[in-house]
């Protein structure tokens, strides 16, 4: 793999936006069978307008960016380091951005910086991931 091979290059940026809904959280709970008491208390939390989106669901937007916006060769995740700085709430419009910051030609690894922010521009997730091209 050379820089630019398969359409990847250092400095390449991809973004995607998504608004998480209560239905997203309910579907996630059914799919994973993770029905935590916290997510069952919807009426109480709805009054406070503080319905939190599960972190793993928010993280899924990062996977969408990579899979849809940075299409190329199949890959496997080698490493993931994410910091969840601020909760994502229901109806937040989240922008996920990944930027290729390094490419290891011999190992066929791509390192990407990850930033997710809400509609107010507040960072909610930051970190980096390493992919191995297959």
């Amino acid at each position: 793999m050379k820089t630019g091979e398969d359409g990847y290059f250092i400095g390449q940026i991809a973004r995607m936006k998504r608004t998480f809904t209560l239905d997203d959280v309910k579907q996630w709970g059914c799919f994973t069978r993770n029905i935590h008491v916290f997510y069952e208390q919807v009426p109480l939390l709805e009054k406070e307008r503080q319905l939190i989106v599960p972190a793993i669901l928010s993280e899924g937007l990062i996977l969408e960016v990579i899979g849809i916006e940075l299409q190329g060769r199949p890959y496997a995740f080698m490493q993931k380091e994410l910091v969840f700085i601020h909760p994502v709430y229901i109806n937040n419009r989240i922008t996920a951005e990944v930027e290729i910051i390094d490419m290891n030609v011999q190992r066929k690894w791509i390192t990407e910086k990850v930033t997710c922010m809400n509609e107010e521009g507040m960072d909610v997730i930051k970190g980096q991931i390493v992919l191995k091209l297959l």
Side-chain angles (χ1 to χ4, degrees), residues 40-49 51:
E40 291 178 346
Q41 297 175 0
V42 172
L44 171 66
L45 295 173
E46 222 165 359
K47 291 178 190 172
E48 299 171 12
R49 298 183 183 265
L51 293 169

Side-chain angles (χ1 to χ4, degrees), residues 2-20:
K2 300 174 186 167
T3 302
E5 187 175 318
D6 299 314
Y8 298 114
F9 57 90
I10 293 175
Q12 184 175 5
I13 295 175
R15 287 181 200 90
M16 187 175 265
K17 295 182 181 187
R18 180 173 180 186
T19 301
F20 290 97

